[in-house]
Amino acid sequence: MVREANVKQATAEKQLKEAQGKIDVLQAEVAALKTLVLSSSPTSPTQEPLPGGKAHFKKGHTRNKSTSSAMSGSHQDLSVIQPIVKDCKEADLSLYNEFRSWKDEPIMDRTCPFLDKIYQEDIFPCLTFSKSELASAVLEAVENNTLSIEPVGLQPIRFVKASAVECGGPKKCALTGQSKPCKHRIKLGDSSNYYYISPFCRYRITSVCNFFTYIRYIQQGLVKQQDVDQMFWEVMQLRKEMSLAKLGYFKEEL
């Protein structure tokens, strides 16, 4: 009797596994049908769900191969509907050659081909603000490595003289003239004036500063752990950050 009970139990467990497998197949078919219905276009078969989980195809249309494969119940077939993508990169040969030429004799002259292109495409657009005179002074300070940025903090607001109105304030950006909360301020060289800047302007300035800092390190021979290719892609990453900043994308400290 015990043996007979064990046989019945084994048979029941086998039938349970088979039933679960059929449920998985049916669920995969339902998911595939939902995907096809949502992604169907006027030129693709129009499916109308009917009782029993079957799909009816209108006259004049034939079931295509993609529909049949999606209904096979295999999870691998569902991956065809949603292709897998990955990030790729490929060096522009002209940019790469210009960088290699610059690295052989690194200079900070903006007229050299390597830097001139970056000035025109990234640096100038990134540091173009409505207050053009102050923007030019900011660029000069960045080039000379004499610009400093500090958080405003919670110190009391000082009295602002009439001659220093253009410096902005905690609620007015000095570079754009817009009413924005300013959490940082900049100081240019030996000037005693502080200019309040919005988070957006700060990110644009810091993205340019990061670029200049890195190429200065290369010029000074401080980048020793990277080969030419790694240096090139680091420069491209810094250019990407400047491009995003000038388009309006920025990160703000909370």
Side-chain angles (χ1 to χ4, degrees), residues 35-51:
T35 303
L36 290 173
V37 169
L38 294 174
S39 61
S40 62
S41 62
T43 57
S44 62
T46 302
Q47 304 175 22
E48 297 177 359
L50 293 178

Side-chain angles (χ1 to χ4, degrees), residues 187-221:
K187 184 173 176 291
L188 309 179
D190 297 330
S191 173
S192 59
N193 287 333
Y194 285 91
Y195 300 90
Y196 291 83
I197 56 174
S198 65
F200 174 44
C201 293
R202 172 183 175 269
Y203 192 76
R204 289 169 67 171
I205 294 173
T206 54
S207 64
V208 177
C209 289
N210 291 339
F211 169 77
F212 273 99
T213 299
Y214 185 71
I215 62 173
R216 284 195 194 99
Y217 286 165
I218 296 177
Q219 183 196 32
Q220 298 167 6

